Every structure is written in C-alpha cells, then in structure tokens.
Amino acid sequence: MSIKYETIKNSHRIIKSNKLQYVAHLHRDVELIYVLSGQTKAYLDSKEYVLNQGDLFIAFPNKVHYYSSFTEEESYLIIFSADYFEDFKSIFFKKDPINPVIKKEELPEGIEDIISKMHSCYGENCPFKNEKIKGFFYILLSEIIPCFQFMEKKDDNLDMVSSVLSYCAENYKYNISLDEMAKKLHVSKYYISRLFSDKIKISLSNYINMLRVNDAKERLIKTADSVTEIGSKVGYNTIRSFNRAFLAHTGVQPREFRNKYGNKLKK
C-alpha cells in the first residue's frame, strides 16, 4: 500500500466498486464517484459528505480526499487526467466546486446511463475504444459541470501535504513519532498536526490506523496468514489493539471480515 502524488498511468480509469474504503490521498487527476446503491461517506479536505443512491461526488486535482463505507453499497469510481480534456482544463486547475456533491434530484437525466456505457466500453476490446470513451467523457462533463458553482482555487501547501502522506505510507508499519516525522521533513510537529486537523480532519494516529487496517483487509482476503500474524505485520504490538482498531474502522472484527470476504482462500 502506498500513497503518492502522481498522475495515473492511463488517461482514465473506470471501476465498479462494491465497497469504497480508501485512505486519504491526492493526485493531479479528477476523481468522480456515482453511487448506484446504498450509502457511503466522502471526505474532501476538512468536510464530510454523505452520498446516497444517485448522488455524484467530484474531487478536483490536488485535493485531499478519501471514502468510508460502513454499509453495503455499489458505486462507479472514475478517475481521469485533467490534461486529457482541454476544454475543461482551466476549470479543473483554477477553480474548486463550492459543494463537490450533486444530489440525485439535481443531476440531469441519463447520467447513470452515460456512465454505464462508459464502463461497458472500458472493459471491451473494440475499434476506436479510446475515442468512444473520450466522447462519453465529453458528454458526461458537459452535463455535470454546469451543475456546480465554483470558487477560485486556493494555495493548499500541496507539496508538504504530499510529503506527509508519503511518509505515513512508507512508515505506517512502525511506531511513527510526530517528533521524528517533523525532523525528517524539516518542519515543526505543530505544523504537521495542523495539516492533519485542517486538511484531513483526523488525527495522525487515526490516519495511521486507517493505513494499517486497509493493509490488513487485503492480507485477510489474499493470504492464509493468521489474524495474529497479520496484526503484527501491519504494525500492531498486540492482537487486542489490532482487533480494536479494525472494529473501529470497519464495524467488524478481523475474523468476521475474513469469513465474509475471504472465501477464495478456501477454494
């Protein structure tokens, strides 16, 4: 698991997700969520947004965002390079939506159908595939962009936010000290604390737990390691602390999570 500040390798990515659960990250790309069913929570900078069926969420380039789903939900996750669409590029890089959510009743008709066709085309191997997808993107953006109200983009200390998140991603399996991080990044620990409270809206310790739990979820599904071994590998000294953190972030115990999602190990 890593969090990097970079563009995606391809010009676009379209995924159907059964459970959005991503830690805080930022990149130069635009990210869209369209909720097909259920409910999820999206976090952008310092605010939380509850997304219900039919709602659409957008994160513009260089904005810290993450998701947390505690109920069953299904969504389309769409990520694309802001440089890919010249007609919208100045909006993506110079402005921010006042509200990044368009509620179902405020969306133009046919948005789900457009995204569904994009997703189907993305998985196909057909002539002019990229041209088709780009056409769908232009239709989608032409429909949703007028639904937003915008403000001028602010300077968000992006380089330092990226450095802090990258440091956490590289060291979350160890006991991260705020003093040591500040020393490595050549800033004060109070500045780092303020970045977390202002930009990510959670404490450093809570964020580290999110990284560890997401790593543990993958190991519970993809490996046959015991729960105790996994807890140790992602950074917990005791099984009790691992169980407590996992329950807080997912709503279930590690063994329960494996029983529900790790069936592939039994095959």
Side-chain angles (χ1 to χ4, degrees):
M1 160 126 3
S2 62
I3 295 179
K4 297 179 180 179
Y5 185 78
E6 61 181 9
T7 57
I8 57 176
K9 293 180 180 179
N10 300 318
S11 56
H12 47 70
R13 186 184 307 152
I14 308 167
I15 303 167
K16 184 179 276 190
S17 171
N18 291 321
K19 195 172 181 67
L20 289 170
Q21 195 81 25
Y22 298 104
V23 294
H25 60 287
L26 75 165
H27 42 65
R28 184 182 165 84
D29 310 299
V30 182
E31 193 161 311
L32 280 173
I33 297 294
Y34 180 82
V35 181
L36 290 166
S37 63
Q39 183 183 83
T40 190
K41 291 180 181 178
Y43 299 82
L44 184 70
D45 289 340
S46 60
K47 293 185 179 180
E48 173 187 289
Y49 301 90
V50 177
L51 307 178
N52 297 297
Q53 180 180 0
D55 293 347
L56 183 143
F57 168 85
I58 192 168
F60 271 31
N62 303 326
K63 306 297 288 185
V64 177
H65 56 286
Y66 60 103
Y67 312 102
S68 182
S69 295
F70 295 99
T71 62
E72 293 296 325
E73 52 84 15
E74 187 176 45
S75 304
Y76 282 118
L77 169 62
I78 304 170
I79 306 173
F80 61 92
S81 170
D83 296 305
Y84 194 48
F85 301 99
E86 286 293 333
D87 296 308
F88 299 100
K89 188 174 177 180
S90 62
I91 295 176
F92 292 142
F93 286 115
K94 294 182 180 180
K95 298 183 182 295
D96 281 319
I98 294 175
N99 185 343
V101 177
I102 308 175
K103 304 303 290 183
K104 177 180 179 179
E105 56 272 17
E106 298 168 350
L107 276 173
E109 292 185 10
I111 293 299
E112 183 175 327
D113 186 51
I114 294 170
I115 298 176
S116 176
K117 289 179 179 177
M118 288 170 60
H119 180 256
S120 296
C121 189
Y122 187 75
E124 293 176 355
N125 213 350
C126 59
F128 305 108
K129 172 181 173 178
N130 288 332
E131 287 77 9
K132 286 181 180 179
I133 293 175
K134 191 168 185 177
F136 282 129
F137 263 112
Y138 266 111
I139 295 172
L140 176 65
L141 294 174
S142 297
E143 291 283 357
I144 67 172
I145 291 299
C147 296
F148 292 104
Q149 290 183 301
F150 296 100
M151 59 185 176
E152 295 299 317
K153 189 179 288 290
K154 300 177 182 178
D155 180 9
D156 290 316
N157 299 314
L158 295 173
D159 289 340
M160 184 50 62
V161 172
S162 178
S163 295
V164 168
L165 293 179
S166 294
Y167 182 91
C168 290
E170 292 167 5
N171 296 279
Y172 67 88
K173 297 176 185 178
Y174 311 104
N175 291 323
I176 292 183
S177 160
L178 189 58
D179 288 321
E180 183 179 356
M181 185 192 301
K183 184 178 179 180
K184 291 283 186 181
L185 299 179
H186 307 291
V187 293
S188 76
K189 63 180 181 180
Y190 305 107
Y191 178 71
I192 294 175
S193 293
R194 192 167 64 251
L195 279 181
F196 271 94
S197 61
D198 292 348
K199 296 295 295 176
I200 307 177
K201 208 60 177 179
I202 58 175
S203 66
L204 171 62
S205 60
N206 200 8
Y207 183 66
I208 295 301
N209 278 325
M210 288 177 63
L211 288 171
R212 290 175 174 175
V213 167
N214 274 271
D215 188 353
K217 285 163 62 179
E218 290 190 20
R219 293 172 186 266
L220 286 165
I221 293 174
K222 298 178 180 179
T223 77
D225 294 344
S226 70
V227 171
T228 301
E229 288 174 326
I230 290 173
S232 177
K233 287 179 179 180
V234 301
Y236 292 102
N237 294 324
T238 68
I239 186 64
R240 182 180 179 183
S241 60
F242 176 42
N243 285 337
R244 184 169 59 245
F246 198 94
L247 177 64
H249 285 274
T250 67
V252 297
Q253 295 283 2
R255 285 184 177 82
E256 185 181 348
F257 180 87
R258 168 171 275 175
N259 290 337
K260 186 172 184 179
Y261 298 106
N263 291 331
K264 64 178 69 176
L265 294 175
K266 302 175 183 178
K267 297 180 180 180

